[in-house]
Amino acid sequence: MLGFLVAPLVDHDAPDEPAPQAAIVSVAATPRSIEPRIVRPQVVPSSQGGQLTAGLKPLRLAPLDVGVASMNMFRQLSSAHALHDARRLTSRPGVDVVGWQEAEDFGAVLHRLPGFATKTFPYSGGSSELAISWRSSRFRLVAADQKRVAYGVSSYEGRYPFGNRLVAQVTLQDRQSGRQLTVINVHLPQKIEDFDHHPGHWTDTKNAFRARIQLQRLAAIWAQAQGRWVIGTGDFNFDARADAAYLPAGGPTRALRRTAVSSYEELGLDVATTFPENGRNIDYVWADKGAYRSGRIQFDGQWVLSGYNSDHRPLLTRLVLR
């Protein structure tokens, strides 16, 4: 197993602050493939001095349709309501991968979803709020790790306390093709966008400062992610419409513009809001930008689902992996 550290990045819009070290659980280094897999025939000499082809003919693998969802479970739910939400989402035929947030109390729920395997992460004597599930008939787990990328804010430091910020990822192997898919899951702190007075702009809080650090380090993690396909999920607590309109420095789109593209950027925002309480789309699914530009990943649809107990609605996208 090979670990790697995320280099500290500097937020030039805020005063200096000690940067946290990245806390590594484990990660396996796996080479990223570039070209479609081709099974090449074996060439042997013939008795006439030429060459004969033995074995299989060249084979290009068919594209894969994969349903990817991001879901904030809402930590104040009962276990029964959380189980209802998790089973409702994963029982949909078009769902294959789910990135969960606020799942620290729901590990038992997520580990008993029919047809799905789940990776939860230990943290600070308990479980991390991040978890990732996948349809076990389609994928198997290759590697998993979690990093701390920004400090939280205590009730003594700021008006809106939150815990340390983490990034979780798993690398999965498609059982049919053998190709690898990495899923990166994240949750940014609350009270970072001034949506009441200046939507699309940062608030003047420590939360916003730490969120910008988190996004910078998230971009570095994306750049190092392994596998032919890399995708992301998460609650970013920043409205996608306002972010697209104002493109604030250090915001989701600008922070990840070199490494990732969201389904909102590709498919637009003609969908219901994922956080009905204030009418914002703050839950995202992302794809690796290099793979997107080369055609290895394509967005083929997105939906905001209803009928859940959580205060968030899950965002479901369909991706075509080539």
Side-chain angles (χ1 to χ4, degrees):
M1 305 293 285
L2 174 64
F4 62 91
L5 292 175
V6 181
L9 300 177
V10 178
D11 188 322
H12 296 288
D13 298 328
D16 292 337
E17 177 169 329
Q21 282 191 316
I24 298 176
V25 176
S26 64
V27 60
T30 52
R32 176 182 287 192
S33 302
I34 300 300
E35 297 300 327
R37 183 183 180 187
I38 301 175
V39 179
R40 300 195 180 279
Q42 182 183 1
V43 178
V44 297
S46 73
S47 58
Q48 285 76 34
Q51 291 181 329
L52 297 176
T53 300
L56 298 175
K57 294 181 180 180
L59 173 66
R60 290 185 181 271
L61 299 172
L64 305 174
D65 290 335
V66 177
V68 179
S70 184
M71 174 62 171
N72 185 308
M73 301 187 77
F74 188 39
R75 59 176 52 91
Q76 296 182 26
L77 289 180
S78 67
S79 293
H81 283 156
L83 179 61
H84 168 273
D85 283 2
R87 287 193 169 178
R88 180 180 178 87
L89 181 56
T90 56
S91 66
R92 294 179 64 98
V95 175
D96 300 295
V97 176
V98 183
W100 310 95
Q101 305 88 42
E102 297 196 30
E104 60 265 42
D105 294 327
F106 304 126
V109 166
L110 297 179
H111 283 293
R112 54 190 178 104
L113 299 175
F116 275 74
T118 297
K119 177 60 182 175
T120 52
F121 300 84
Y123 190 74
S124 190
S127 293
S128 164
E129 64 144 330
L130 302 176
I132 302 171
S133 300
W134 59 91
R135 192 173 296 278
S136 53
S137 62
R138 298 200 66 179
F139 299 101
R140 71 174 186 88
L141 180 64
V142 174
D145 81 315
Q146 178 177 255
K147 298 175 177 66
R148 185 182 65 198
V149 293
Y151 286 126
V153 170
S154 72
S155 57
Y156 299 103
E157 296 177 281
R159 291 170 288 168
Y160 311 107
F162 64 92
N164 291 335
R165 295 292 95 179
L166 308 166
V167 174
Q169 63 179 310
V170 299
T171 297
L172 308 173
Q173 184 178 55
D174 173 55
R175 293 183 183 276
Q176 181 178 10
S177 69
R179 294 305 178 99
Q180 292 185 351
L181 167 69
T182 291
V183 185
I184 300 172
N185 189 31
V186 67
H187 186 188
L188 271 68
Q190 77 278 17
K191 299 295 183 182
I192 60 175
E193 181 194 357
D194 187 6
F195 60 86
D196 284 329
H197 303 100
H198 299 96
H201 296 79
W202 294 103
T203 59
D204 184 20
T205 61
K206 281 200 170 188
N207 299 45
F209 171 68
R210 302 281 169 82
R212 291 197 293 272
I213 292 175
Q214 186 179 0
L215 284 166
Q216 289 175 348
R217 291 184 176 143
L218 177 62
I221 289 171
W222 268 88
Q224 299 176 57
Q226 303 296 310
R228 178 173 179 79
W229 305 298
V230 182
I231 60 174
T233 57
D235 173 2
F236 280 67
N237 271 310
F238 209 105
D239 180 51
R241 288 181 175 84
D243 185 42
Y246 295 100
L247 292 175
T253 298
R254 288 183 64 176
L256 298 176
R257 61 185 171 186
R258 291 186 176 87
T259 54
V261 57
S262 74
S263 63
Y264 298 128
E265 292 176 75
E266 170 61 11
L267 301 177
L269 283 151
D270 187 20
V271 290
T273 58
T274 65
F275 194 64
E277 182 179 309
N278 54 27
R280 298 157 74 217
N281 287 80
I282 61 178
D283 302 273
Y284 291 70
V285 174
W286 302 81
D288 177 79
K289 199 158 198 175
Y292 168 77
R293 285 177 171 171
S294 70
R296 297 199 307 275
I297 298 179
Q298 291 180 314
F299 288 105
D300 194 40
Q302 65 177 347
W303 304 267
V304 175
L305 309 178
S306 59
Y308 293 82
N309 296 297
S310 174
D311 56 345
H312 287 247
R313 295 168 176 163
L315 174 68
L316 171 63
T317 67
R318 183 168 61 231
L319 300 176
V320 179
L321 311 181
R322 302 182 185 276

